[in-house]
Amino acid sequence: MEDKKITAKEYLGQVRQLSDRIKMLQEEIRNLKELSVSIGAIQQGEKVISSTSGDKMADTICLIDEKIEEYEGLVKKFTMTRAKVFKDIGKIDNVVYQQILYQKYCALKKWEQIATDMGYGYRWLLRLHGRALEEFRQVTGLK
């Protein structure tokens, strides 16, 4: 762990945060692409008197390219972070604890789904999660 100042939950939660950020960027790229299509349609329907409307299209395309680069960087960071979290979860001896932490923090499943998949009651699963987090703290040295 590079930063031992963060808690175990914060460390494990990095995967979800990156996943959420990736989804937001995907939506932003989609919106910008739709905007560029609408800018192009407007330009084709009117006489262009100055070059500023062409600049708007070029600016939009440059912005899309920047967002795509950011997206690709985040996907790489997500992949690396998820692999590191997966490896750290594997340091726990208890396979049930590993499975709970993996399902929640790598597979990004909801508690209800994990409980169903593992055949546990919701409250019991949360109790086991607390124990799994405690063991994770011990093997990683996080708070």
Side-chain angles (χ1 to χ4, degrees):
M1 298 347 78
E2 298 84 38
D3 187 5
K4 296 203 182 225
K5 294 178 180 116
I6 65 172
T7 66
K9 264 188 172 181
E10 290 169 337
Y11 174 76
L12 293 167
Q14 293 177 95
V15 176
R16 181 172 299 280
Q17 288 175 344
L18 287 168
S19 176
D20 291 346
R21 178 77 177 134
I22 287 169
K23 288 174 188 171
M24 288 188 301
L25 259 177
Q26 286 173 327
E27 186 176 340
E28 181 67 13
I29 291 167
R30 193 171 29 258
N31 290 339
L32 287 170
K33 285 181 178 181
E34 288 173 7
L35 179 64
S36 70
V37 170
S38 67
I39 289 173
I42 291 171
Q43 287 177 356
Q44 290 177 1
E46 64 184 37
K47 286 186 177 179
V48 178
I49 298 170
S50 70
S51 64
T52 58
S53 60
D55 291 342
K56 288 179 188 175
M57 178 64 112
D59 291 345
T60 303
I61 291 171
C62 285
L63 186 58
I64 291 170
D65 286 343
E66 289 171 11
K67 294 294 181 185
I68 289 172
E69 274 185 43
E70 183 182 353
Y71 170 80
E72 290 168 351
L74 272 177
V75 168
K76 183 177 180 179
K77 185 176 180 181
F78 170 83
T79 303
M80 293 171 64
T81 301
R82 188 172 181 266
K84 186 161 182 359
V85 166
F86 178 78
K87 181 180 174 186
D88 288 341
I89 288 171
K91 293 176 182 176
I92 297 173
D93 291 331
N94 186 313
V95 178
V96 172
Y97 292 172
Q98 285 182 12
Q99 189 176 10
I100 291 168
L101 295 179
Y102 172 79
Q103 294 295 325
K104 182 63 179 169
Y105 298 106
C106 289
L108 305 176
K109 291 185 179 180
K110 296 187 180 299
W111 288 120
E112 295 81 2
Q113 185 62 50
I114 298 169
T116 301
D117 292 349
M118 294 184 73
Y120 293 130
Y122 180 80
R123 290 172 141 293
W124 180 243
L125 177 67
L126 293 181
R127 191 169 289 145
L128 288 174
H129 173 257
R131 294 174 185 171
L133 272 180
E134 184 55 40
E135 190 167 328
F136 186 78
R137 285 183 197 104
Q138 290 174 7
V139 299
T140 60
L142 293 168
K143 320 189 253 184

